Amino acid sequence: MAYVNENYLKLPGSYLFANIARKVNAFKQEHPDADIIRLGIGDVTLPLVPAVIEAIHRATDEMAKAETFRGYSPEQGYDFLIEKIIRHDYNSRGIELSKDEVFISDGAKSDTANMQEIFGPDNVVAVTDPVYPVYVDSNAMAGRLGDYDSKTGKWTNLVYLPCTAENNFIPALPDKKVDMIYLCYPNNPTGTTLTKEQLKEWVDYARENKAVILFDAAYEAYITQPEIPHSIYEIEGAKEVAIEFRSFSKNAGFTGTRCAYTVVPKSVKGYTKSGEAVELNALWNRRHSTKFNGVAYIVQRGAEAVYSEEGQRQIREVIAYYMENARIIREGLASSGLKVFGGVNSPYIWLKTPEGYDSWQFFDKLLNNAHVVGTPGVGFGPSGEGYFRLTAFGSRENTVKAIERIKSVRF
Amino acid sequence: MAYVNENYLKLPGSYLFANIARKVNAFKQEHPDADIIRLGIGDVTLPLVPAVIEAIHRATDEMAKAETFRGYSPEQGYDFLIEKIIRHDYNSRGIELSKDEVFISDGAKSDTANMQEIFGPDNVVAVTDPVYPVYVDSNAMAGRLGDYDSKTGKWTNLVYLPCTAENNFIPALPDKKVDMIYLCYPNNPTGTTLTKEQLKEWVDYARENKAVILFDAAYEAYITQPEIPHSIYEIEGAKEVAIEFRSFSKNAGFTGTRCAYTVVPKSVKGYTKSGEAVELNALWNRRHSTKFNGVAYIVQRGAEAVYSEEGQRQIREVIAYYMENARIIREGLASSGLKVFGGVNSPYIWLKTPEGYDSWQFFDKLLNNAHVVGTPGVGFGPSGEGYFRLTAFGSRENTVKAIERIKSVRF
């Protein structure tokens, strides 16, 4: 009899975006003429930049001729892309990496979800709260989190590190020993960041406790303040304890084109039960080459073009466009008396719902009175209750209109 | 302390292709002028067909404009592709599927490796031997296979179903009860097939034992004999017990472009320890949407073009080219007295090494005396010892030349 992985049966339904869709549809039926503006979803809207488009066209033409056709990519990705990543994203910040420490993949979602597979089942996992749900769900599927308690919205064996206005969104070191720590900075969903000093506390903690930090830097390109670290490897000692996830989704609009990369320095170790140190790089390489078959050549060429001079200029313009949206949202909401966070080094604006509104009540109010759709903070974890996420990925026109409307709502 | 998944440490090194490369390089150093022909690797060499190229160019242009830009794909894939798959690959053979039973992915390798995640750890796994190593390694990583015995080349808890000339490459039903059965037909590496009647025995076995068949049909497009089933769902009852993997890699040259799909009918069930039936479709959907983020839009448009009238005509020509190579290899080797299998409904030719040669000795002989590189059968499992794989994916010229050379070798 084929038994199922019963950990899957413990997962709560992923109702967040389904609930949003249901509420929006109901509203539409009642108000068919309402001009609904969606600032809820973390998906980009501006097209791929010309340098990327040209590179994909060129690579596609190569695929049309036997002499230049490419079959299987190396599972780890082509050197032409890995070399540019290392030079541009790391060497420029004083970080040295070897080519076999960088793994090209189809997405930071896949990598952050799959990385836990190389770890044993007994590790204690810690996540900031609120959090990107993939870190939690992938560990729950692997049986690392115990049981889900629908009353608290928490897994029994998961360590939650609350990040709220009260602690200025800076997670405190856990009082219980943890082994795998997911950190995402600039943060999704709160849009907040950590300074080098704050991040160093975590690196030191991991070194002392032989823990591993899974650092998601998918929003790195949105950092505007020079003192904020772009890579965890800017922190001394991080190469001993941290794996870093990066993506072309948000810096170059690749959400529908799929390319990302993950850095696993050879100096990062895990341990056997008998205490022997094991290079995680070797385990991830084995996982990546057994359960994955490389990214499309044409897509890797597109990603490479992001690093060309024109590519860099073009994506900077796109990011600046979104960040101007972020400014409009942030300042607009603040001027109407709402408490806002993020939006300075991030396309996400996290706001405290006004007195008397929980996340979903605020959602309803905004939908009904401003015809604006955002994301209830509680959808990202218990500490997201009483918060709400707006994103800067809309069009300028819609963003301006949405904020004007929100400003006219009386809470 | 972060513990590693110690199952990874039990994996034997994947030395097959590394060993081949080492031997070829050593030979090259001694014979720098030798014209080495590689008929060893299962990678295609002909370019993407014009219909696919045009579709990718068109889709790329869509990605260049805000009005037609696409962000995140549905994780399960776009309906435009799923609908064509169902109509063309299934309805045409009398098989009905609903759209949410088909999952687009980046490769059959990923899917065949990942699918075991939705199953419990205690299932007994069976594979045909020789076998595509991914089925074995992915289950070993999940801890389902016990320990690897380097003397026998076998995992202690894995059930091997020998497929050799002695049983005409038809796997016998296991004498021990098994729960997850990997079948690949047309087979990699042997190139052999099963008739509907032979496949029905497995479907009946699975129904009787509540087992699940993981059916890899990646080479389906190479079937030339009308009586050979293209899909396991042509067998009565298979929709209750079988998951089917398909790919655009081998039928349309997508090894470097990455698109595949997996069919998980809602009627296929797994079981909890307490005996409750669970739809595997729901579990896979959860896995696919949590740990994967969809295939690139431009690639899905390319795959869609495979189903256009021109696309079909063009890929048929490519397949016919490879299959003519297969015929040349098969008949050429047979005429020189070698026993050959496969190559009729498959791009793989599996040959019995002559008396006195094991797989690696034959490899050395072929490299030294014919300057031809193939793949030693033992690399695919213990029952592959004494066999050797050649593939039809080379150029016509090289294929002809290689066979002429092999015919002149005295074994």
Side-chain angles (χ1 to χ4, degrees):
Chain A
M1 187 184 286
Y3 293 113
V4 298
N5 177 347
E6 295 198 29
N7 297 312
Y8 276 65
L9 309 180
K10 298 179 180 178
L11 290 165
S14 54
Y15 298 129
L16 176 63
F17 289 101
N19 270 349
I20 292 174
R22 192 177 48 73
K23 280 171 179 273
V24 171
N25 286 336
F27 180 80
K28 265 185 177 168
Q29 291 227 315
E30 280 176 53
H31 308 84
D33 297 332
D35 168 32
I36 295 172
I37 298 176
R38 293 166 188 275
L39 296 183
I41 295 177
D43 196 0
V44 299
T45 54
L46 289 178
L48 293 178
V49 299
V52 169
I53 292 289
E54 285 157 27
I56 294 177
H57 277 309
R58 266 198 311 274
T60 302
D61 285 333
E62 287 181 57
M63 295 297 277
K65 297 187 211 81
E67 313 83 68
T68 49
F69 173 79
R70 305 260 190 153
Y72 290 118
S73 156
E75 285 102 347
Q76 299 84 352
Y78 280 109
D79 278 353
F80 63 73
L81 178 54
I82 292 173
E83 283 164 5
K84 296 206 175 56
I85 286 168
I86 292 176
R87 193 168 349 126
H88 186 279
D89 293 344
Y90 292 98
N91 292 353
S92 65
R93 301 189 163 268
I95 300 158
E96 297 297 321
L97 292 174
S98 67
K99 281 190 284 187
D100 52 1
E101 294 178 313
V102 177
F103 297 85
I104 307 297
S105 82
D106 66 319
K109 180 179 176 185
S110 313
D111 285 351
T112 56
N114 292 330
M115 188 56 74
Q116 48 76 30
E117 294 176 19
I118 66 170
F119 291 91
D122 302 331
N123 291 296
V124 177
V125 177
V127 294
T128 55
D129 172 27
V131 70
Y132 178 50
V134 166
Y135 316 147
V136 176
D137 290 356
S138 58
N139 276 290
M141 288 168 169
R144 239 173 245 113
L145 304 191
D147 294 302
Y148 183 73
D149 179 345
S150 58
K151 266 183 235 139
T152 60
K154 291 188 178 184
W155 290 87
T156 50
N157 294 353
L158 178 61
V159 173
Y160 292 83
L161 308 166
C163 294
T164 62
E166 282 68 43
N167 64 6
N168 218 2
F169 301 95
I170 299 159
L173 294 177
D175 39 24
K176 164 182 179 178
K177 229 173 119 184
V178 300
D179 309 305
M180 295 164 61
I181 303 156
Y182 287 85
L183 297 177
C184 172
Y185 290 98
N187 187 255
N188 175 17
T190 68
T192 59
T193 51
L194 293 187
T195 64
K196 283 186 190 172
E197 293 67 33
Q198 287 157 354
L199 204 48
K200 182 151 194 319
E201 286 195 40
W202 283 98
V203 170
D204 291 345
Y205 174 90
R207 291 171 80 184
E208 279 155 30
N209 293 282
K210 297 190 171 174
V212 171
I213 296 173
L214 301 142
F215 191 76
D216 185 347
Y219 297 92
E220 162 278 330
Y222 291 85
I223 294 173
T224 58
Q225 295 177 314
E227 68 274 19
I228 302 298
H230 287 239
S231 164
I232 194 166
Y233 305 120
E234 295 180 48
I235 313 303
E236 197 202 322
K239 272 177 80 172
E240 289 169 34
V241 291
I243 289 168
E244 180 163 292
F245 304 96
R246 295 274 192 112
S247 170
F248 295 96
S249 284
K250 302 301 162 72
N251 71 340
F254 271 52
T255 54
T257 304
R258 315 303 315 142
C259 198
Y261 65 90
T262 289
V263 178
V264 188
K266 291 189 185 162
S267 39
V268 182
K269 302 288 199 302
Y271 298 87
T272 63
K273 287 279 175 176
S274 57
E276 198 190 339
V278 178
E279 280 188 12
L280 295 185
N281 179 285
L283 301 192
W284 182 246
N285 188 45
R286 189 67 196 249
R287 195 271 167 211
H288 205 62
S289 48
T290 298
K291 298 181 79 177
F292 182 66
N293 222 344
V295 170
Y297 173 68
I298 57 176
V299 170
Q300 291 191 64
R301 282 293 186 200
E304 181 192 25
V306 169
Y307 295 106
S308 66
E309 213 173 293
E310 322 81 74
Q312 284 290 304
R313 193 173 34 73
Q314 292 163 357
I315 69 162
R316 267 189 233 118
E317 275 173 35
V318 172
I319 293 166
Y321 177 93
Y322 292 139
M323 288 309 286
E324 173 62 8
N325 286 351
R327 190 194 61 75
I328 291 166
I329 297 172
R330 195 167 36 84
E331 296 183 358
L333 297 177
S335 78
S336 75
L338 287 162
K339 266 198 212 154
V340 293
F341 310 94
V344 176
N345 297 300
S346 160
Y348 293 133
I349 291 89
W350 191 243
L351 65 89
K352 182 91 195 79
T353 56
E355 188 86 22
Y357 292 87
D358 68 16
S359 292
W360 278 108
Q361 287 164 336
F362 188 78
F363 175 91
D364 291 334
K365 179 81 173 175
L366 227 54
L367 176 60
N368 286 306
N369 296 43
H371 307 174
V372 171
V373 178
T375 310
V378 70
F380 297 100
S383 295
E385 180 58 280
Y387 292 89
F388 198 79
R389 191 186 78 174
L390 292 173
T391 82
F393 291 127
S395 70
R396 176 66 40 77
E397 190 192 346
N398 278 343
T399 302
V400 169
K401 214 191 294 177
I403 297 306
E404 286 310 314
R405 289 192 202 158
I406 295 174
K407 281 163 84 169
S408 71
V409 178
R410 297 204 166 269
F411 297 104
Chain B
M1 188 183 286
Y3 292 114
V4 299
N5 177 348
E6 296 199 28
N7 296 312
Y8 275 64
L9 308 180
K10 298 178 179 178
L11 291 164
S14 54
Y15 297 130
L16 176 62
F17 289 101
N19 270 349
I20 292 174
R22 192 176 49 73
K23 280 173 179 272
V24 172
N25 286 337
F27 180 81
K28 265 185 177 168
Q29 291 227 315
E30 280 176 53
H31 308 86
D33 297 331
D35 167 33
I36 295 172
I37 298 176
R38 293 167 188 273
L39 296 182
I41 295 177
D43 197 0
V44 299
T45 53
L46 289 178
L48 293 178
V49 299
V52 169
I53 293 289
E54 285 156 27
I56 294 177
H57 277 309
R58 268 197 311 275
T60 302
D61 285 333
E62 288 181 55
M63 296 296 278
K65 296 187 212 82
E67 313 83 69
T68 49
F69 174 79
R70 306 261 190 152
Y72 290 118
S73 157
E75 284 102 346
Q76 299 83 352
Y78 280 108
D79 278 353
F80 63 73
L81 178 54
I82 293 173
E83 282 164 7
K84 295 206 175 57
I85 286 168
I86 292 176
R87 193 167 350 127
H88 187 279
D89 292 345
Y90 293 98
N91 292 353
S92 65
R93 298 189 166 270
I95 300 158
E96 297 297 321
L97 291 173
S98 66
K99 282 190 283 187
D100 52 2
E101 294 179 313
V102 177
F103 297 84
I104 307 298
S105 82
D106 66 320
K109 180 180 177 185
S110 312
D111 285 350
T112 56
N114 292 330
M115 187 57 73
Q116 49 76 30
E117 295 177 18
I118 67 170
F119 292 92
D122 302 331
N123 292 296
V124 177
V125 178
V127 295
T128 55
D129 171 29
V131 71
Y132 178 51
V134 166
Y135 316 147
V136 176
D137 290 356
S138 58
N139 277 290
M141 289 168 168
R144 238 173 245 113
L145 304 191
D147 293 302
Y148 183 74
D149 179 345
S150 59
K151 265 183 238 141
T152 60
K154 291 187 179 186
W155 290 87
T156 50
N157 295 353
L158 178 60
V159 173
Y160 292 83
L161 308 166
C163 293
T164 62
E166 282 68 43
N167 65 5
N168 219 2
F169 301 95
I170 300 160
L173 294 176
D175 40 24
K176 164 182 179 177
K177 231 174 118 182
V178 300
D179 309 304
M180 296 165 60
I181 303 155
Y182 288 85
L183 297 178
C184 171
Y185 289 99
N187 188 255
N188 174 17
T190 68
T192 59
T193 51
L194 293 187
T195 64
K196 284 185 188 172
E197 292 65 36
Q198 288 157 354
L199 205 47
K200 182 149 194 318
E201 287 195 40
W202 284 98
V203 171
D204 291 344
Y205 175 90
R207 291 171 79 184
E208 278 156 30
N209 294 282
K210 298 190 171 176
V212 171
I213 296 173
L214 301 142
F215 191 76
D216 185 346
Y219 296 91
E220 161 278 330
Y222 291 85
I223 294 172
T224 58
Q225 294 177 314
E227 69 274 19
I228 302 298
H230 287 239
S231 165
I232 194 166
Y233 305 121
E234 294 181 49
I235 312 304
E236 196 201 321
K239 272 177 82 171
E240 289 169 34
V241 291
I243 290 169
E244 180 162 294
F245 305 95
R246 295 273 192 111
S247 170
F248 295 94
S249 283
K250 303 301 164 70
N251 71 340
F254 271 52
T255 54
T257 304
R258 314 305 314 143
C259 198
Y261 64 90
T262 289
V263 178
V264 189
K266 291 189 183 162
S267 39
V268 182
K269 303 288 199 304
Y271 298 87
T272 63
K273 285 280 176 176
S274 58
E276 199 190 339
V278 178
E279 280 187 12
L280 295 185
N281 178 284
L283 301 192
W284 182 245
N285 187 46
R286 190 68 197 249
R287 195 270 167 213
H288 205 63
S289 48
T290 299
K291 298 181 77 177
F292 182 64
N293 222 345
V295 169
Y297 173 69
I298 58 176
V299 170
Q300 291 191 62
R301 282 293 186 200
E304 181 193 25
V306 169
Y307 294 107
S308 67
E309 213 172 293
E310 323 81 74
Q312 284 291 302
R313 193 174 34 74
Q314 292 163 357
I315 68 162
R316 266 188 235 119
E317 275 174 34
V318 172
I319 293 165
Y321 178 93
Y322 291 139
M323 287 309 286
E324 174 63 9
N325 286 351
R327 190 195 61 77
I328 290 166
I329 297 172
R330 194 167 37 85
E331 295 183 0
L333 297 177
S335 78
S336 76
L338 288 161
K339 264 196 213 157
V340 293
F341 309 95
V344 176
N345 298 298
S346 159
Y348 294 133
I349 291 89
W350 190 244
L351 64 90
K352 182 90 196 78
T353 56
E355 188 86 24
Y357 292 86
D358 68 16
S359 292
W360 279 108
Q361 288 166 335
F362 188 77
F363 175 92
D364 291 335
K365 180 80 174 178
L366 226 53
L367 176 60
N368 286 307
N369 296 42
H371 308 174
V372 171
V373 179
T375 311
V378 69
F380 297 99
S383 295
E385 180 57 280
Y387 291 89
F388 199 80
R389 192 186 77 173
L390 292 174
T391 83
F393 291 126
S395 70
R396 177 67 38 79
E397 191 192 345
N398 278 343
T399 302
V400 170
K401 215 192 293 180
I403 298 306
E404 286 311 313
R405 290 192 200 157
I406 295 173
K407 282 164 83 168
S408 70
V409 178
R410 297 205 166 266
F411 298 103

